[in-house]
Every structure is written in C-alpha cells, then in structure tokens.
Amino acid sequence: MKTGLINYLTKYIWLIIASSLLYIPINFFVPIEMENIIKLSEFRGYFDFGIRIIIAILLYNDFSKEKLQYKYLGVFASLFYGTLGVIIFSLLFMENKKMEKDTE
C-alpha cells in the first residue's frame, strides 16, 4: 500500500493544532484568579511535553515504516521543537521517493 506524505503529516498537524489551542489566552474569555493561572500554566507545560513525546513516538514509527535514515535525529529534534522533527521526516521522505523514482 502506497502512502503519500500528506497521510503521514495529517496526524502531526492535528497534534500541533491541539497543542496550540491551549495557548489561547483563556483569561480574555473567562475571568481567572491568580492562583488558578499558575495551575493552568503548569497544565499547559505538561500537555505540551506530552504532545512532544507523542510526536516523537509517531515519528519513530513512521521513520521505521519507511526505512528512512537519520531516525534518531528526527526523533531527538522533535523533543525540543515538534515541528522540526516533522520537517526532517518530510524532507527525508521526499528525498527517498525521488531516489526510488530515479532508480526505476
């Protein structure tokens, strides 16, 4: 079964959107006391870290599925900045497909 790059990227896009939604300034919509702002900030941090770990695990699986090189570079980069790992995966995926096309 051939899968295109957009099929892989869809799950990462949804995870990044979900992560970004928590950074909407909620205090503009709902009045929040100062004590709760600190708790909300902690929750945002844990949620963001969880999303990064999920992206790293999914990237590892996708790198393995496509048998791409630099698997650990992409996974390690996604732990610091989630989009960077996805960009590395996309570039290597496109390069791999181009090389397969050239060899045919």
Side-chain angles (χ1 to χ4, degrees), residues 67-97:
K67 297 181 179 85
L68 298 174
Q69 296 178 349
Y70 305 110
K71 176 187 334 182
Y72 297 110
L73 174 68
V75 171
F76 189 68
S78 71
L79 288 175
F80 291 104
Y81 188 66
T83 312
L84 182 60
V86 176
I87 290 170
I88 291 171
F89 174 76
S90 301
L91 292 173
L92 292 173
F93 182 85
M94 289 188 295
E95 180 183 4
N96 189 27
K97 291 300 177 187

Side-chain angles (χ1 to χ4, degrees), residues 12-100:
Y12 301 117
I13 292 170
W14 282 112
L15 284 172
I16 292 170
I17 288 171
S19 175
S20 299
L21 285 177
L22 277 181
Y23 288 99
I24 294 175
I26 296 174
N27 56 347
F28 288 133
F29 304 113
V30 179
I32 299 176
E33 296 176 8
M34 191 55 142
E35 304 160 353
N36 294 336
I37 289 177
I38 295 170
K39 291 178 186 175
L40 183 63
S41 178
E42 289 176 6
F43 175 73
R44 286 178 182 171
Y46 292 137
F47 186 75
D48 186 44
F49 188 67
I51 292 289
R52 288 180 188 193
I53 289 175
I54 291 170
I55 288 175
I57 292 169
L58 290 173
L59 275 174
Y60 183 83
N61 290 337
D62 289 342
F63 269 102
S64 298
K65 190 185 302 181
E66 289 295 325
K67 297 181 179 85
L68 298 174
Q69 296 178 349
Y70 305 110
K71 176 187 334 182
Y72 297 110
L73 174 68
V75 171
F76 189 68
S78 71
L79 288 175
F80 291 104
Y81 188 66
T83 312
L84 182 60
V86 176
I87 290 170
I88 291 171
F89 174 76
S90 301
L91 292 173
L92 292 173
F93 182 85
M94 289 188 295
E95 180 183 4
N96 189 27
K97 291 300 177 187
K98 182 181 176 192
M99 290 178 70
E100 286 179 1

Side-chain angles (χ1 to χ4, degrees), residues 11 73 101:
K11 59 187 160 196
L73 174 68
K101 184 179 175 185

